[in-house]
């Protein structure tokens, strides 16, 4: 019996198309390709905490927070400016989409990521000469939260939030009645309460 392997690009492409359709978010090919590459980049979780850089200056402390990254980017030369701003923008979008639930319990919430990410994509759009890429950045800047929803759907569907994922899914189902959460819990063999009973519990 043979095994069918698909590349990360194929997996993310299929999952993204489903999420866009389910969330009823309009897109275009260049933007979808961009998101697929971004998702592949963050398969290595280290990329989420280490700013992208082609520089090897060991004496320089890399910026850690989004605000620090923004300040460093705005005060850097052209190539490095775009590099850091892109890292900031993508990190904001990915974090807000895949870890939005956990951000609700922190001082730095999803609104902060949305504001920083939108601003970063706006700058990238104005700095980018390639029309198709500039349009991608402009779309993310204007519709940041729409694409957060798309990534959030993908996160919930694929259950990437490890460790406490089952508890989070169950808690989410109890609070919202999410069909995606219910289906995922059932796939794990966990019996969920009918929605009618959930309404009774909320009353």
């Amino acid at each position: 019996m043979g095994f069918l392997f698909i590349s990360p690009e194929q997996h993310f492409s299929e999952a993204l198309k489903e999420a866009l359709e389910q969330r009823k978010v309009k897109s275009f090919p260049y933007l979808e390709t961009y998101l697929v590459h971004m998702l592949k980049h963050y398969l290595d979780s280290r990329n989420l905490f280490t700013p992208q850089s082609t520089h090897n200056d060991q004496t320089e402390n890399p910026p850690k927070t989004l605000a620090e990254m923004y300040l460093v980017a705005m005060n850097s030369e052209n190539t490095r400016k775009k590099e850091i701003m892109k890292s900031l923008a993508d990190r904001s979008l990915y974090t807000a989409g895949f870890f939005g639930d956990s951000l609700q319990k922190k001082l730095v919430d999803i609104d902060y990521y949305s504001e920083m990410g939108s601003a970063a994509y706006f700058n990238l759009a104005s700095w980018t000469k390639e029309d198709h890429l500039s349009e991608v950045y402009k779309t993310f800047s204007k519709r940041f939260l729409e694409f957060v929803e798309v990534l959030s759907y993908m996160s919930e569907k694929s259950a990437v939030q490890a460790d406490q994922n089952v508890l989070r899914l169950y808690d989410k189902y109890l609070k919202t009645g999410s069909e995606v959460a219910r289906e995922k819990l059932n796939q794990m063999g966990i019996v969920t309460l009918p929605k009618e009973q959930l309404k009774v519990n909320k009353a």
Side-chain angles (χ1 to χ4, degrees):
M1 182 178 177
F3 292 93
L4 179 63
F5 293 97
I6 65 171
S7 67
E9 288 90 347
Q10 287 175 292
H11 168 72
F12 286 131
S13 180
E14 291 172 10
L16 176 60
K17 288 184 185 301
E18 178 187 345
L20 289 166
E21 183 178 337
Q22 290 294 325
R23 302 308 303 166
K24 295 180 172 57
V25 172
K26 292 183 179 180
S27 182
F28 51 93
Y30 280 121
L31 185 147
E32 291 172 26
T33 299
Y34 184 97
L35 279 177
V36 167
H37 285 299
M38 184 187 78
L39 291 166
K40 183 184 176 186
H41 176 70
Y42 288 122
L43 272 177
D44 184 342
S45 61
R46 290 172 297 183
N47 291 329
L48 193 58
F49 304 103
T50 306
Q52 291 172 293
S53 178
T54 56
H55 299 258
N56 296 312
D57 185 358
Q58 299 299 318
T59 64
E60 184 179 342
N61 293 319
K64 294 179 180 179
T65 68
L66 299 183
E68 287 174 341
M69 290 174 71
Y70 193 90
L71 285 173
V72 170
M74 295 302 288
N75 290 286
S76 297
E77 49 83 20
N78 197 44
T79 302
R80 183 158 166 74
K81 175 184 291 190
K82 290 181 181 178
E83 188 178 83
I84 298 173
M85 196 65 75
K86 181 179 183 301
S87 181
L88 187 167
D90 290 350
R91 184 190 298 189
S92 298
L93 181 58
Y94 183 86
T95 302
F98 276 75
F99 305 105
D101 287 347
S102 63
L103 291 177
Q104 293 175 6
K105 302 173 184 177
K106 296 184 178 180
L107 291 174
V108 177
D109 61 12
I110 198 166
D111 290 338
Y112 171 76
Y113 281 83
S114 176
E115 289 171 9
M116 294 299 297
S118 295
Y121 281 125
F122 177 85
N123 286 328
L124 287 168
S126 64
W127 297 340
T128 303
K129 294 180 180 179
E130 300 93 330
D131 289 341
H132 66 276
L133 189 54
S134 179
E135 189 61 30
V136 169
Y137 293 144
K138 194 181 300 180
T139 302
F140 284 146
S141 177
K142 291 181 178 179
R143 298 164 54 200
F144 189 88
L145 288 177
E146 286 185 50
F147 290 96
V148 166
E149 283 289 315
V150 169
L151 296 184
S152 180
Y153 178 93
M154 293 176 69
S155 169
E156 195 172 299
K157 189 77 174 177
S158 61
V160 295
Q161 296 166 333
D163 298 333
Q164 296 182 353
N165 186 62
V166 175
L167 291 175
R168 285 179 183 172
L169 275 176
Y170 197 78
D171 184 55
K172 187 162 191 174
Y173 178 65
L174 289 176
K175 289 178 179 176
T176 67
S178 166
E179 272 299 304
V180 176
R182 184 189 66 78
E183 289 173 10
K184 196 67 191 177
L185 287 164
N186 289 347
Q187 288 170 15
M188 295 173 178
I190 297 170
V191 178
T192 53
L193 291 170
K195 281 190 175 181
E196 294 74 19
Q197 286 185 245
L198 290 182
K199 291 176 183 176
V200 171
N201 287 345
K202 290 178 182 178

